[in-house]
Amino acid sequence: MESYSKAETLLLRRRHIGPSCKLFFSKDPIKIVRGAGQYMYDELGNQYLDCANNVAHVGHCNPTVVQAAAIQMATLSTNNRYLHDSIISYAKRLSATLPDSLSVCYFTNSGSEANDLALRLARKHTKQFDAVVLENAYHGHLSSTIALSPYKHNQADRSDLADWVHVAPCPDPYRGKYRGDTPETGRAYAEEIRDLLADLRINRNRKVAAFFHESMQSCAGQVVFPPDFLRCAYKHIRDAGGVTIADEVQTGFGRCGLHYWAFQLAGPDLVPDIVTVGKAMGNGHPVSAVITTREIANSFAESGMEYFNTFGGNPVSCVIGLSVMEVIARDNLLDHALNVGNYAKEKLNELAESYDIIGDVRGHGLFIGVDLVRNRSTRRPATAAAQHVIYRLKQNRIIISADGHYRNVLKIKPPMCFTKDNVDHLVSNLKTVLDEIKDLEFEEANTATGSK
């Protein structure tokens, strides 16, 4: 393959790649040529600690995954209209991690595809069309899923807003309409959904097919829902005839540490009707899935339309997915994520004792947000400071992103092989940067945007 200098690569990208495809660190992007574990390497051989990549779930270029992919690629790659054992083995292993009722799988190629299919399933089953989503949610880039993603409309002209999508307040216990990590807060947010549903029914003669939610909101700024929110929201949606869809694309496969799936944080009795998964599922290979109940799958089949996806469920993708799950189990990555994540939160909270700019540290496992504020009392977001921090860390060869409605939340969602030594390195460098800016004043733009 022909190689180019960094300057040539940038020039050719601008010429041949659509301008809406944004780069990280656009003022001085990194040219990455190799990855290994929790590290990435540029064209000069410099090593970067990757604190941002929740796609390379078990580590960049994990040898087990790479070997499994290479062997299967050299053996067979075809579609799922032929019998092959890998799709069955994968569906069986995937559904075994979920509640018993979630036993039917459809394989797709991206989280966006999975959420689009989930919407189709919900509409066929309920014979309704509308959907409820949460403020600042992100569910994908297809026409249907962009409509389900208020996060994206914060940045755009809002022309993609659809009248069939109804937005409830983001259940953010730190910065939201109701505050405090309590069951009362959770129920208050769920009552917003109840009232929205009542308004739709009484004043607009509309019902909903589905409630989409990320099990923890990533693009919204690593938002962890207050207790009782999902349990009560599910009741209101089901009472109104809708189905519940847990989007685990960014949070699944053990990232939260305590459970395989982040919706399980809400308790063992909370069971979605549909779960969508992706990203981490293939460790960088494009694979995703929808898992649902037999009842909903039958409703979809009764429409008479065959569901076929050229690449969904092909042997290579299924073997890769199985190998990712093998590494998660073999390396005990759920316990690892819990232990390292708790250590990271402990160290970050210690840092917060000395730096008022840290307003909140939140998350589970290796899904952590650090909310930077200009004033702890008002919680005014420190957007410009957050952007400065991520660029300075990049200069120290640490890759981290900032997101949320105000782009002021540092997002820590690294490969699951991230270690306590990596945490120490990150926190030490973050302390250095916070020392540098302690007495600086940043000019804050009125911004509400972000990058996935």
Side-chain angles (χ1 to χ4, degrees), residues 97-283:
T97 66
L98 290 156
D100 290 344
S101 60
L102 295 166
S103 60
V104 182
C105 300
Y106 298 86
F107 290 103
T108 50
N109 306 292
S110 70
S112 298
E113 272 195 23
N115 282 328
D116 177 78
L117 178 57
L119 181 62
R120 289 176 61 191
L121 292 172
R123 285 172 169 171
K124 289 297 181 185
H125 183 67
T126 63
K127 297 180 173 57
Q128 300 298 329
F129 196 80
D130 291 16
V132 173
V133 297
L134 298 173
E135 182 185 9
N136 299 323
Y138 179 76
H139 294 292
H141 64 81
L142 301 181
S143 296
S144 61
T145 53
I146 278 288
L148 294 168
S149 301
Y151 165 83
K152 283 294 186 182
H153 300 298
N154 292 334
Q155 323 171 39
D157 61 8
R158 306 181 75 83
S159 61
D160 288 329
L161 289 173
D163 65 357
W164 54 269
V165 177
H166 311 288
V167 182
C170 172
D172 181 349
Y174 179 72
R175 190 176 289 285
K177 181 176 181 179
Y178 309 106
R179 295 182 177 180
D181 192 27
T182 66
E184 291 76 18
T185 302
R187 290 192 288 271
Y189 280 114
E191 286 164 6
E192 293 277 345
I193 292 177
R194 179 201 63 193
D195 295 345
L196 185 155
L197 293 167
D199 178 68
L200 288 173
R201 184 183 68 254
I202 296 167
N203 297 319
R204 299 179 61 184
N205 194 30
R206 299 183 80 143
K207 296 181 180 180
V208 298
F211 168 47
F212 271 86
H213 70 87
E214 298 154 275
S215 298
M216 295 185 288
Q217 284 190 301
S218 179
C219 294
Q222 309 297 84
V223 175
V224 178
F225 301 147
D228 271 4
F229 166 67
L230 283 179
R231 181 178 289 104
C232 295
Y234 273 31
K235 182 180 187 305
H236 298 320
I237 292 292
R238 286 167 172 162
D239 286 349
V243 300
T244 58
I245 301 173
D247 180 342
E248 290 276 347
V249 171
Q250 301 216 51
T251 57
F253 293 91
R255 178 160 293 278
C256 71
L258 287 166
H259 304 284
Y260 218 86
W261 308 106
F263 73 78
Q264 293 169 318
L265 292 166
D269 58 331
L270 185 114
V271 181
D273 300 300
I274 303 172
V275 173
T276 59
V277 296
K279 283 192 187 299
M281 190 172 181
N283 208 55

Side-chain angles (χ1 to χ4, degrees), residues 308-324:
F308 173 66
N309 187 314
T310 302
F311 299 108
N314 73 79
V316 175
S317 294
C318 291
V319 164
I320 288 172
L322 281 164
S323 69
V324 169

Side-chain angles (χ1 to χ4, degrees), residues 323-357:
S323 69
V324 169
M325 296 183 76
E326 175 191 334
V327 175
I328 292 170
R330 183 195 69 201
D331 296 350
N332 203 18
L333 289 183
L334 270 71
D335 284 347
H336 181 80
L338 181 63
N339 293 333
V340 175
N342 285 343
Y343 180 74
K345 285 192 293 182
E346 176 188 331
K347 292 299 180 183
L348 290 164
N349 277 312
E350 289 176 4
L351 201 61
E353 293 174 5
S354 303
Y355 298 90
D356 289 344
I357 192 173

